[in-house]
Amino acid sequence: MTAHTIGAITRRSLLLSGGAVLALLALPRQLRAQEPLKVAGIYTVPVEQQWVSRIHKAAETAKAAGAVDYSYTENVANTDYPRVMREYAESGVKLIIGEVFGVEQEAREVAADYPEVAFLLGSSFPPDEALPNVAVFDNYIQDAAYLSGIVAASMSKGNIGMVGGFPIPEVNRLMNAFMAGAREVNPEMKFQVSFIGSWFDPPKAKETALAMIEGGADLLYAERFGVSDAAKEKGVLAIGNVIDTQADYPDTVVASALWHFEPTFDKAVAEVMAGTFTAADYGVYSFMKEGGCSLAPLGTFEGKVPDSAKALVAEREAAIRDGSFTVAIDDSEPKSS
């Protein structure tokens, strides 16, 4: 098994720029005062992929702070996932993180064989008290997705194309929240919704997005890599998801719903260090009020988004944070309208 490192001048180094420095300073004191905890990440896609990149970024930030000794393996096939889990567990790793959506049963069977190892797994299923060493998490960033929908509707004439990976709860809830935010601004908004059947296939995502533009979409929801490329090529706008890609598409990406995995990761590390890690649902740490998500700065579009939309975003964000407004968690498959 090879633990990969990240070159200082590669694209992966961007994962640690900007906000990562602030996250490092914000780490709980106990995470900086003890010996580094051995942590391993097991990912079925490259660490550049949006969703996994946020986990990887949080782990690298904690590593830079001296809180963890972090290694990882990427591009692991579902059929190979249990083997990699076992190898890390037997190597002395105390916390294993990763996504097991395609290998739920097998991953939990492995975890049962290593009760002294903590597992924090991205999962569609709830925690099981019979497996006290397995906690689950998910990207519950519907709050930020709702706000991005408000921005999107203010920049569209009424037809938005949405390209997703698979219609699973983790994707559906973000799309539905985005659509709800857009409909608050324009109740008559039309949506084209499609899923490409892959977590990482930029060419297919681009092809799907181009078809939506041909179908009248003047703004795209880029749940997958490749969508913003289509938007840029055809001169339409896009909304990002999970990460902020505006630097790569300064005239295309208006805003993005960002996932901040640091609250989830830091909580798990602290619990393992304290000996109190147990079966729990860490999804709540992705909520906006927990610091788990945010709307990216408008940046190059600061002066282009209508003031009325910015005011509504500010109003809704304040209400979300104080609990007076709740974004619905809708895991049902979104449909075209």
Side-chain angles (χ1 to χ4, degrees):
M1 183 184 311
T2 301
H4 301 271
T5 56
I6 302 177
I9 61 174
T10 66
R11 181 175 179 179
R12 294 183 185 182
S13 67
L14 297 179
L15 296 174
L16 286 174
S17 64
V21 176
L22 295 178
L24 186 156
L25 296 176
L27 283 171
R29 184 181 301 275
Q30 63 267 34
L31 299 195
R32 291 179 276 132
Q34 301 182 36
E35 286 297 313
L37 182 75
K38 290 192 70 173
V39 178
I42 308 174
Y43 311 120
T44 62
V45 294
V47 292
E48 288 91 351
Q49 190 260 12
Q50 298 104 302
W51 199 87
V52 161
S53 75
R54 307 310 284 179
I55 304 170
H56 181 66
K57 174 179 176 289
E60 285 285 352
T61 298
K63 179 180 179 178
V68 301
D69 175 6
Y70 168 65
S71 58
Y72 69 97
T73 303
E74 60 187 340
N75 292 316
V76 178
N78 285 340
T79 54
D80 203 30
Y81 207 95
R83 178 191 65 79
V84 179
M85 289 178 69
R86 289 185 184 279
E87 288 191 359
Y88 272 126
E90 292 175 5
S91 72
V93 166
K94 297 302 182 183
L95 172 63
I96 293 176
I97 59 175
E99 82 284 21
V100 296
F101 300 106
V103 64
E104 295 271 1
Q105 181 177 343
E106 296 88 342
R108 293 179 187 236
E109 289 174 355
V110 172
D113 291 338
Y114 299 93
E116 301 305 314
V117 178
F119 294 84
L120 180 63
L121 306 175
S123 170
S124 295
F125 292 89
D128 182 354
E129 291 184 1
L131 285 174
N133 63 324
V134 177
V136 300
F137 69 88
D138 216 334
N139 61 324
Y140 283 93
I141 63 168
Q142 64 281 344
D143 299 330
Y146 187 95
L147 300 183
S148 72
I150 292 174
V151 174
S154 75
M155 302 294 284
S156 170
K157 294 180 180 178
N159 191 319
I160 295 177
M162 305 182 68
V163 181
F166 293 91
I168 64 172
E170 293 70 27
V171 175
N172 297 345
R173 73 174 64 106
L174 305 188
M175 284 188 162
N176 284 321
F178 171 88
M179 295 165 79
R183 285 182 173 131
E184 179 171 359
V185 175
N186 178 5
E188 304 303 318
M189 181 66 70
K190 301 298 182 183
F191 298 96
Q192 300 178 57
V193 180
S194 184
F195 299 92
I196 63 172
S198 173
W199 292 130
F200 196 75
D201 191 343
K204 188 173 184 179
K206 180 179 179 180
E207 179 184 356
T208 303
L210 288 172
M212 290 179 171
I213 295 171
E214 287 294 318
D218 64 355
L219 186 143
L220 300 173
Y221 176 77
E223 200 270 327
R224 295 290 100 194
F225 278 149
V227 176
S228 294
D229 294 307
K232 179 180 179 180
E233 183 177 305
K234 294 298 183 179
V236 304
L237 301 177
I239 297 292
N241 179 60
V242 177
I243 63 175
D244 186 359
T245 58
Q246 191 182 80
D248 295 323
Y249 307 93
D251 300 316
T252 302
V253 175
V254 183
S256 299
L258 305 183
W259 184 26
H260 306 296
F261 194 70
E262 287 77 5
T264 304
F265 185 85
D266 294 347
K267 176 66 174 177
V269 171
E271 294 287 354
V272 174
M273 286 184 165
T276 54
F277 186 90
T278 190
D281 187 345
Y282 279 61
V284 65
Y285 299 109
S286 291
F287 285 23
M288 183 170 284
K289 65 181 180 180
E290 298 289 343
C293 66
S294 69
L295 184 67
L298 296 177
T300 54
F301 281 86
E302 181 62 45
K304 302 175 184 178
V305 174
D307 289 340
S308 58
K310 289 189 283 188
L312 181 56
V313 166
E315 179 183 342
R316 288 287 175 261
E317 179 173 350
I320 289 169
R321 292 185 182 279
D322 69 21
S324 60
F325 182 82
T326 300
V327 176
I329 298 174
D330 182 357
D331 288 348
S332 65
E333 183 176 343
K335 304 293 184 181
S336 298
S337 56

